Amino acid sequence: MNYQYWNEKMETLPRPELEAYQLSQLKSTVDRALRTTFYKDTFIKAGIRSSDDIKSLADLQRIPFTTKHDLREGFPYGFLSIPLDDVVRLHASSGTTGIPTTIYFSAADLKRWAGFVARCIYGTGCTKSDVFQNMITYGLFTGGLGFHAGGEEIGMLVIPSGAGNTTRQFRLMQDFGTTVVHATPSFLLHVEAKMKEEGISRESLKLKKAFAGAEPYSEDTRRRIEALLHIDVYNSYGLSEMNGPGVAFECQHKDGLHLWEDGYIAEIVNPETLEPLPDGEVGELVITCLCREATTLLRYRTRDLSAFYTEPCPCGRTHRRLRRITGRTDDMLIINGVNLFPSQIEEVIMGIREVGNNYLIVVEKEGVMDRLTVKTEVGADIFMDDTRPLNALKEKIRKTLQASITINPRVELHENGSLPVSEGKAVRVQDKRPRDV
Ligand code: ADP
Ligand code: ZN
């Protein structure tokens, strides 16, 4: 395989040098943190008075964790470590799990962020000759402007098409010969059906690659998109608290996401005890941002679940790889006492060939019991008026799910293209149970 690095020195820095660099960045981050109203207090309580108290990377453990709740408490400027006058932009999270949080950037922060995103894009084999259509929400959400800047940094022709409106997306792809797109995996799954509907042939497009992120998806979903659109799909991970996209990304091997350790220190901890977990074990990802001067965040609990690979990657990058994020700690559903992550359902149903590209999970109360219903679309080649094969498929989905999740779900089949599609992050779960107050 031919590898290309955007920043070869940093991407292949030997581990001892990478860790020495992290330590120096951590020290300046601690000094910056002491200028924020939030950390001033928490650091004093933890006995940290200056960066001199941080002598090795192990001293990171002395720093308290920061949660989304802290960010909301510190709204609007509790984490700001530079004068407001030097801030040039703000972004906010999507608010998937509550009130959005706000992150501020200086001009230098934006430049560094674009560099990290460029690294990700370039590492998949893209060059300045590629035409990049960014089919994701622009605005406060970081995916739009974040990828936009990364593409421009490389010198690609960037088309800021934004999310949704497949008709216009196809037109742009045809008019300008788009070779690479960025979108949510759920939108990409939806694209092929729309192509058929609008009579767009695959041959009329020059598409080669897609970057898919912003929400969890399974390996089977990736393969499905790749097969439907005849492209390579690369997993992109980021979160607004850590700038946005450009935190971790797959290289050409598509096996684990390299987390840029010169910009971020990542830990995997047990979400209950908060103790560090050994490489390979799944836990909550905790990140310290080293590459931003405006908003300072240390040991931020992402609530995302992942694990570190134990082996280095053949691509030569020395930055550790994360396993595909399977969901968030707070995504977990408890159904009649059994713990269930939506990703477990996706893994099963996307592996069944006859199942279409969209699904919905509904949880309700029936008397004292919880009731799980999995609604899936059927494949485009299945007729809804022929009940025998439909019943057989329903039974197959039910049995395969039950064997895997130990819960007996109700399965509903819906016509291809009939379940709701969201323009941004997909909403896959409807929990209709009354909440305890
Ligand atoms: P919000 O937390 O409101 O959704 P963001 O827009 O910052 O705010 O989204 C970041 C979150 O999106 C991550 O914390 C993670 O849960 C999810 N996410 C982003 N990229 C991926 C990915 N490649 N795989 C799984 N989840 C992802
Ligand atoms: Zn690699």
Side-chain angles (χ1 to χ4, degrees):
M1 208 175 264
N2 265 341
Y3 301 115
Q4 58 178 32
Y5 311 100
W6 181 248
N7 184 340
E8 183 160 359
K9 180 167 181 287
M10 285 319 260
E11 289 174 53
T12 60
L13 204 61
R15 296 278 326 165
E17 284 171 52
L18 183 54
E19 284 167 17
Y21 181 79
Q22 281 188 315
L23 178 61
S24 75
Q25 294 295 98
L26 177 61
K27 279 168 160 290
S28 38
T29 305
V30 164
D31 282 332
R32 273 201 306 278
L34 285 159
R35 294 200 283 272
T36 68
T37 45
F38 178 82
Y39 287 113
K40 218 167 26 206
D41 292 345
T42 53
F43 276 24
I44 288 168
K45 281 187 206 133
I48 302 166
R49 270 152 281 115
S50 83
S51 57
D52 294 340
D53 292 320
I54 306 294
K55 299 202 164 47
S56 73
L57 284 179
D59 285 333
L60 181 67
Q61 301 297 321
R62 294 179 53 188
I63 298 172
F65 292 101
T66 306
T67 62
K68 196 133 187 155
H69 176 77
D70 295 329
L71 277 181
R72 286 174 187 148
E73 292 279 291
F75 182 84
Y77 301 125
F79 291 83
L80 192 66
S81 33
I82 61 168
L84 201 52
D85 259 7
D86 295 330
V87 171
V88 299
R89 195 193 298 163
L90 67 79
H91 275 286
S93 70
S94 315
T96 312
T97 57
I99 312 160
T101 49
T102 318
I103 302 294
Y104 305 90
F105 297 82
S106 70
D109 290 339
L110 290 179
K111 181 89 189 123
R112 269 189 295 266
W113 178 24
F116 281 108
V117 179
R119 238 190 236 194
C120 301
I121 298 177
Y122 199 73
T124 66
C126 290
T127 66
K128 70 191 289 289
S129 310
D130 276 292
V131 178
F132 173 47
Q133 193 163 322
N134 198 14
M135 309 198 293
I136 208 124
T137 314
Y138 275 66
L140 286 174
F141 176 60
T142 52
L145 287 168
F147 262 93
H148 187 104
E152 284 189 349
E153 184 80 7
I154 294 175
M156 301 162 108
L157 168 55
V158 183
I159 309 176
S161 61
N165 198 340
T166 37
T167 310
R168 195 189 53 184
Q169 301 285 6
F170 294 141
R171 182 118 116 256
L172 290 166
M173 286 182 197
Q174 287 178 322
D175 285 350
F176 305 108
T178 301
T179 55
V180 194
V181 293
H182 169 221
T184 58
S186 45
F187 187 69
L188 289 172
L189 277 172
H190 171 68
V191 159
E192 194 257 355
K194 282 282 165 192
M195 273 171 68
K196 277 202 184 125
E197 216 177 283
E198 300 193 15
I200 308 277
S201 75
R202 176 61 185 87
E203 294 68 46
S204 69
L205 306 179
K206 294 204 173 116
L207 217 53
K208 288 188 300 201
K209 293 185 181 73
F211 309 131
E215 61 190 22
Y217 59 113
S218 64
E219 194 56 45
D220 275 317
T221 299
R222 181 228 297 272
R223 287 201 205 103
R224 222 170 232 255
I225 303 169
E226 292 191 325
L228 285 170
L229 297 174
H230 311 284
I231 54 173
D232 280 305
V233 173
Y234 297 88
N235 196 348
S236 154
Y237 171 75
L239 61 163
S240 58
E241 292 84 355
M242 294 295 140
N243 295 336
V247 176
F249 217 85
E250 284 177 336
C251 65
Q252 279 156 301
H253 288 286
K254 297 195 282 191
D255 183 16
L257 296 86
H258 288 282
L259 181 128
W260 301 123
E261 293 183 85
D262 54 328
Y264 305 93
I265 300 180
E267 303 166 75
I268 300 278
V269 303
N270 176 320
E272 266 131 45
T273 64
L274 300 182
E275 289 298 317
L277 288 173
D279 283 359
E281 277 188 38
V282 176
E284 181 177 347
L285 179 62
V286 171
I287 314 182
T288 296
C289 187
L290 302 176
C291 55
R292 190 175 53 208
E293 60 184 4
T295 305
T296 301
L297 266 186
L298 293 105
R299 301 195 86 198
Y300 178 69
R301 290 187 59 186
T302 65
R303 301 190 284 191
D304 291 327
L305 292 167
S306 184
F308 276 119
Y309 275 49
T310 47
E311 295 296 310
C313 184
C315 76
R317 290 180 178 84
T318 48
H319 302 243
R320 285 183 297 170
R321 283 174 295 166
L322 286 175
R323 264 191 22 203
R324 171 185 287 290
I325 282 85
T326 45
R328 312 189 194 219
T329 48
D330 45 4
D331 272 350
M332 193 177 77
L333 297 163
I334 303 179
I335 295 172
N336 298 322
V338 179
N339 296 350
L340 176 74
F341 282 99
S343 59
Q344 291 173 271
I345 295 182
E346 174 173 327
E347 249 165 55
V348 172
I349 58 183
M350 285 295 138
I352 302 177
R353 195 193 51 81
E354 303 93 317
V355 172
N357 293 331
N358 202 355
Y359 69 94
L360 190 64
I361 299 165
V362 182
V363 192
E364 288 151 307
K365 208 79 186 159
E366 253 180 27
V368 293
M369 300 297 281
D370 297 325
R371 191 35 137 157
L372 170 71
T373 305
V374 177
K375 302 182 176 189
T376 78
E377 289 182 358
V378 295
D381 47 350
I382 294 181
F383 293 107
M384 287 305 282
D385 37 13
D386 196 353
T387 52
R388 272 239 315 272
L390 282 184
N391 285 336
L393 174 59
K394 222 155 115 172
E395 194 50 19
K396 178 174 171 182
I397 298 172
R398 192 193 62 75
K399 273 197 180 142
T400 328
L401 272 172
Q402 192 180 12
S404 158
I405 63 176
T406 71
I407 298 168
N408 186 11
R410 190 179 286 162
V411 174
E412 274 182 23
L413 296 182
H414 291 256
E415 203 168 330
N416 195 268
S418 66
L419 289 176
V421 180
S422 138
E423 278 202 358
K425 297 180 190 234
V427 182
R428 300 289 196 196
V429 180
Q430 289 179 353
D431 194 341
K432 298 182 173 168
R433 291 174 292 187
R435 292 202 181 275
D436 295 336
V437 257

